[in-house]
Amino acid sequence: MRQPLTRKSKVGDVLQHPLGRDMLFRLSLQTGVAFSLIDNAFVRALPLTILKYVGGGVIDLHFIDAFLTLLNSEKATPQPEDNVVRPAWWKEAVIYQIYPSSFHDSNGDGLGDLAGITEKIPYLQTLGIDCIWLSPIFGSPFDDQGYDIADYKNIAERFGTLDDFTKLLETAHASGIKVVLDLVFNHTSDEHPWFVEALRDPSSDKRDYYFFREGETAPNNWTSFFSGSAWNHYPAQNVWALHLFSEKQMDLNWDNAKVRGELAGIASFWLDRGVDGFRLDVINYVSKAAGLPDGNPGIGKLIGFTGIEHYVLGPHLHEYLHALSKKAFLPKDAFTIGETPGVGREMGKLLTDPERAELNLVMSFDHLETPGHDRFDDYAYDLEWYKQYRIAQSGHVGGRYWQPLFFDNHDNPRMISKVDPEPRTQPQLGMLLNALLLTGQGTPMLYQGQELGMVNADFKSIEELRDVESLNMWQERVVEKGEDPKGVWQKIVAGTRDHARIPMIWDDTPYNGFSSVTPWLWTAHNETPNAEQQCQDSHSVLSFTTKLLHLRKKHTTLIYGRERFVKAKRKGYYGLYREGEESFFVEANLTRNGMKRPHRMQGALLLSNYGAPDARLRPYEVNIYRCEGSLD
Ligand code: ISL
């Protein structure tokens, strides 16, 4: 049993605590204070209250107490990584995320659909991916693009029918491609019949499916991720209801066993139809602290969302996930990947230890911004940070634990654009990013268009955007608070999720072969060569990525082989050995400038994004070699 931490604990005690280490790491990311300035012998010996000097003035004793309460709620300690390889299909697979609205429109309404995805299965098969993850396809009013589900057991009309889904599933399976669905279980749409009934009838058993509270003022000070309070007030019923996301995404009360039973039933419904697993949306937010206490204002200020310490890793999270897994996932051998914002390395271990049977994988987002930055900052991402993050992870995965490897998804601007807006080197950079993912020890996840090197869209005004997060931010800051529209636009255009949601570019017909009419989200400007052009070009990002995928499939060492980084201190240089039955060496220049090779070339060249190596490493160059004999 671990001793509870108190105000008298030392920084070192906190670092020893799994959640404590993760939280201090998060604190360093949030403030931009290097983790090495916290995790060193001198600071370890100091009292925990020293943290006051790290938080830019927001850390006081109340903050520390709130932090300690959260830490002390986690009783478990992760088992050490044992490096015993446990093969599984989802470790060997490359997952490809599809954003259905923006993939391919088969019926000319400007929106992608399931039949459109089915038509493109041969493309995906040629590319060489093994599994598709479909962002939500269920009945929804699409306030948050389907992450607001109103009918869990039906397909959204705009995407097609259950028959279309069966056809897609069968076609994918016949092509050796598995299918993972995106289940949003933290909240439902306010148009879900459960919520409609709960609001209408206080005596309905659905009332306790959600967090309804009475009173004159909002029940607590929690804020929503999409601006404003996390509470809706319904004047006609004189009642409040909780929504961590948009005001149409109502949080489900997982403390109600009936809710957990319903959700397990939904998962089983889709598994019975043959799906292979699920991505579980914000799954770490589902257990909320009893009594929904006020959030600490300091934590709110630091993280940007007040109340988060009361649900980021709630009191019953492990218990609920384990029960769901036993009831729905394990009997069908389903794969599960949790979307877990704010979950760090050690907590991730607890959530994915096979002996604990909660989830297979979790997605941490710590690598997507460099320390001190958030998604709405307009800055150049330094890939050295990614390298350091990967080095820190190495040794913590490979056996008992495993990690997903990803850059792009539907919630983030394109990584290529974040690293370097210069169009000239973007194709090389796109190839480099894909190579980093596809040669690493973990499950690579590509987001649609990443295989083409798609970059951010050239949005000119708020009218062009569709994302509720961006639109709410504009409404709150410009319309309601009267902030300078130019400044707010600059932030929005740096971070808007719509960059990744712009439709796929298939060919050179008017709407890039995505649709025959104006797409739901559209800017005419896009210079990335389309899929058809790239298919003909053996030097394209698509051709390179296809080769990488096939290389990874052919050599198990590129999947399970140990990782050994070399010349790690040389900024901007990436040197990685993968060692197993065979040996491979990956060398890369993570910068836009030429570089002298700090470590010699090794073995026979298999793949390069420049054709053949040169005396020096060119901007964003990546080379993959197979090694023979002894290595250095
Ligand atoms: O973009 C964010 C808010 O600033 C992220 O915190 C994001 O909302 C978070 O990663 C959760 O994302 C998931 O749940 C949301 C949905 O909007 C996202 O698209 C989804 O990936 C609510 O369901």
Side-chain angles (χ1 to χ4, degrees):
M1 265 305 261
R2 226 184 355 241
Q3 288 297 317
L5 296 167
T6 68
R7 282 184 187 181
K8 295 210 174 91
S9 300
K10 304 259 189 294
V11 173
D13 301 326
V14 178
L15 282 164
Q16 288 248 311
H17 186 288
L19 202 44
R21 186 221 162 263
D22 287 353
M23 294 289 161
L24 291 188
F25 185 65
R26 179 110 290 279
L27 184 70
S28 92
L29 292 184
Q30 214 75 37
T31 55
V33 172
F35 193 53
S36 56
L37 290 182
I38 301 174
D39 188 9
N40 64 62
F42 178 72
V43 177
R44 275 173 172 269
L46 297 176
L48 161 67
T49 43
I50 196 77
L51 291 180
K52 282 197 287 211
Y53 301 102
V54 182
V58 297
I59 300 186
D60 57 14
L61 283 179
H62 297 295
F63 183 117
I64 288 181
D65 288 344
F67 178 67
L68 290 171
T69 308
L70 177 58
L71 261 49
N72 288 329
S73 71
E74 178 59 76
K75 308 274 184 260
T77 303
Q79 303 269 355
E81 168 56 59
D82 57 12
N83 294 310
V84 177
V85 174
R86 297 165 175 77
W89 73 258
W90 48 267
K91 295 181 182 173
E92 294 167 21
V94 175
I95 300 177
Y96 182 94
Q97 183 191 355
I98 291 181
Y99 200 64
S101 293
S102 302
F103 195 62
H104 185 44
D105 172 18
S106 73
N107 62 356
D109 62 359
L111 282 156
D113 46 50
L114 297 188
I117 300 172
T118 307
E119 278 176 32
K120 295 292 183 188
I121 292 288
Y123 166 85
L124 296 174
Q125 194 182 16
T126 309
L127 176 61
I129 55 97
D130 309 279
C131 175
I132 50 178
W133 144 28
L134 304 174
S135 274
I137 54 172
F138 317 101
S140 163
F142 283 83
D143 182 56
D144 184 20
Q145 301 308 327
Y147 282 89
D148 47 324
I149 301 177
D151 188 352
Y152 285 96
K153 295 186 182 170
N154 261 310
I155 303 297
E157 238 172 83
R158 61 170 67 183
F159 292 150
T161 61
L162 272 171
D163 284 344
D164 292 328
F165 178 71
T166 307
K167 181 137 187 263
L168 166 56
L169 189 66
E170 284 171 2
T171 313
H173 281 171
S175 313
I177 294 175
K178 298 201 191 290
V179 177
V180 162
L181 296 187
D182 201 328
L183 285 178
V184 186
F185 276 176
N186 175 68
H187 43 267
T188 73
S189 163
D190 66 343
E191 296 182 32
H192 192 293
W194 298 337
F195 188 81
V196 174
E197 187 181 322
L199 182 62
R200 195 191 57 226
D201 178 5
S203 63
S204 150
D205 73 331
K206 302 296 178 298
R207 190 74 164 199
D208 193 42
Y209 274 36
Y210 297 89
F211 295 97
F212 279 95
R213 297 289 183 272
E214 282 163 13
E216 289 308 303
T217 52
N220 65 28
N221 65 355
W222 295 7
T223 53
S224 149
F225 289 99
F226 295 159
S227 306
S229 162
W231 293 91
N232 281 346
H233 187 234
Y234 298 90
Q237 293 81 6
N238 196 20
V239 78
W240 301 82
L242 178 73
H243 64 91
L244 293 183
F245 291 89
S246 93
E247 55 194 37
K248 286 180 67 63
Q249 292 171 294
M250 311 313 300
D251 279 64
L252 282 166
N253 173 17
W254 277 56
D255 293 332
N256 181 341
K258 274 198 204 159
V259 168
R260 303 197 305 271
E262 300 260 23
L263 300 177
I266 292 163
S268 301
F269 172 89
W270 289 106
L271 289 170
D272 289 343
R273 263 155 195 76
V275 309
D276 301 283
F278 304 107
R279 179 257 191 195
L280 297 155
D281 192 65
V282 287
I283 198 67
N284 57 315
Y285 291 2
V286 299
S287 167
K288 274 91 177 167
L292 311 181
D294 268 344
N296 174 271
I299 297 184
K301 207 158 166 208
L302 191 72
I303 309 285
F305 309 104
T306 308
I308 195 158
E309 69 274 26
H310 296 304
Y311 56 79
V312 67
L313 293 163
H316 301 287
L317 181 64
H318 295 306
E319 171 198 334
Y320 293 162
L321 287 179
H322 178 68
L324 183 61
S325 176
K326 251 175 83 180
K327 200 158 166 192
F329 306 145
L330 286 177
K332 289 285 163 91
D333 203 14
F335 161 65
T336 52
I337 175 162
E339 191 224 13
T340 52
V343 168
R345 184 176 79 204
E346 298 304 313
M347 193 62 190
K349 289 180 180 170
L350 289 177
L351 290 166
T352 60
D353 184 337
E355 280 171 34
R356 294 169 57 89
E358 295 178 27
L359 299 166
N360 293 134
L361 284 176
V362 291
M363 293 174 88
S364 153
F365 299 92
D366 288 349
H367 61 290
L368 289 190
E369 311 296 340
T370 55
H373 291 293
D374 71 31
R375 174 155 55 88
F376 292 100
D377 289 342
D378 188 9
Y379 74 101
Y381 179 100
D382 183 355
L383 281 170
E384 175 66 18
W385 167 246
Y386 180 70
K387 180 182 93 183
Q388 295 303 341
Y389 173 83
R390 287 278 284 102
I391 290 172
Q393 283 287 110
S394 225
H396 290 271
V397 290
R400 183 181 289 275
Y401 306 110
W402 198 251
Q403 65 184 345
L405 298 169
F406 63 94
F407 288 124
D408 289 4
N409 62 34
H410 67 295
D411 285 338
N412 282 279
R414 295 285 185 177
M415 193 49 137
I416 296 182
S417 303
K418 259 165 106 156
V419 173
D420 197 335
E422 166 59 47
R424 207 170 33 86
T425 42
Q426 281 182 335
Q428 256 58 42
L429 173 54
M431 294 185 224
L432 164 67
L433 295 176
N434 294 350
L436 296 180
L437 300 181
L438 288 159
T439 56
Q441 191 181 31
T443 299
M445 301 176 79
L446 299 176
Y447 177 70
Q448 66 182 45
Q450 207 177 329
E451 75 278 21
L452 304 175
M454 277 181 78
V455 298
N456 280 353
D458 189 18
F459 293 121
K460 298 280 190 236
S461 75
I462 191 76
E463 284 72 36
E464 289 181 336
L465 300 187
R466 297 288 172 271
D467 181 19
V468 61
E469 180 190 51
S470 305
L471 302 183
N472 282 3
M473 196 180 274
W474 182 266
Q475 172 70 20
E476 183 181 78
R477 297 178 61 167
V478 176
V479 181
E480 287 161 24
K481 294 191 180 151
E483 282 182 43
D484 168 29
K486 243 172 127 182
V488 176
W489 174 247
Q490 217 168 33
K491 279 202 156 300
I492 291 182
V493 84
T496 182
R497 308 189 297 180
D498 280 338
H499 283 303
R501 300 177 180 184
I502 206 89
M504 277 288 279
I505 43 175
W506 294 108
D507 59 36
D508 53 13
T509 54
Y511 299 107
N512 297 330
F514 163 71
S515 177
S516 52
V517 301
T518 311
W520 69 284
L521 172 70
W522 184 246
T523 53
H525 185 93
N526 197 330
E527 284 176 2
T528 311
N530 61 51
E532 204 176 75
Q533 291 161 340
Q534 294 206 28
C535 211
Q536 316 296 327
D537 173 3
S538 62
H539 300 296
S540 66
V541 184
L542 178 62
S543 299
F544 180 82
T545 308
T546 307
K547 285 178 209 153
L548 268 171
L549 275 148
H550 289 268
L551 194 67
R552 189 176 182 279
K553 229 187 261 301
K554 209 166 129 195
H555 302 284
T556 342
T557 302
L558 286 174
I559 298 164
Y560 294 114
R562 285 176 307 278
E563 289 192 332
R564 183 162 62 88
F565 286 89
V566 288
K567 294 286 187 304
K569 290 212 172 97
R570 172 69 170 86
K571 282 208 166 52
Y573 174 75
Y574 182 97
L576 169 68
Y577 284 101
R578 297 298 310 277
E579 296 165 339
E581 280 165 23
E582 301 172 276
S583 294
F584 296 88
F585 180 57
V586 183
E587 64 166 5
N589 174 359
L590 304 178
T591 75
R592 64 191 317 187
N593 304 314
M595 173 187 287
K596 199 171 153 236
R597 243 184 207 88
H599 187 75
R600 71 180 178 88
M601 289 183 239
Q602 285 281 327
L605 182 75
L606 296 176
L607 201 54
S608 166
N609 62 348
Y610 272 88
D614 196 16
R616 282 167 66 83
L617 285 169
R618 288 151 293 189
Y620 305 121
E621 178 163 350
V622 60
N623 302 312
I624 302 164
Y625 306 87
R626 183 162 53 201
C627 313
E628 265 137 40
S630 68
L631 303 172
D632 56 27

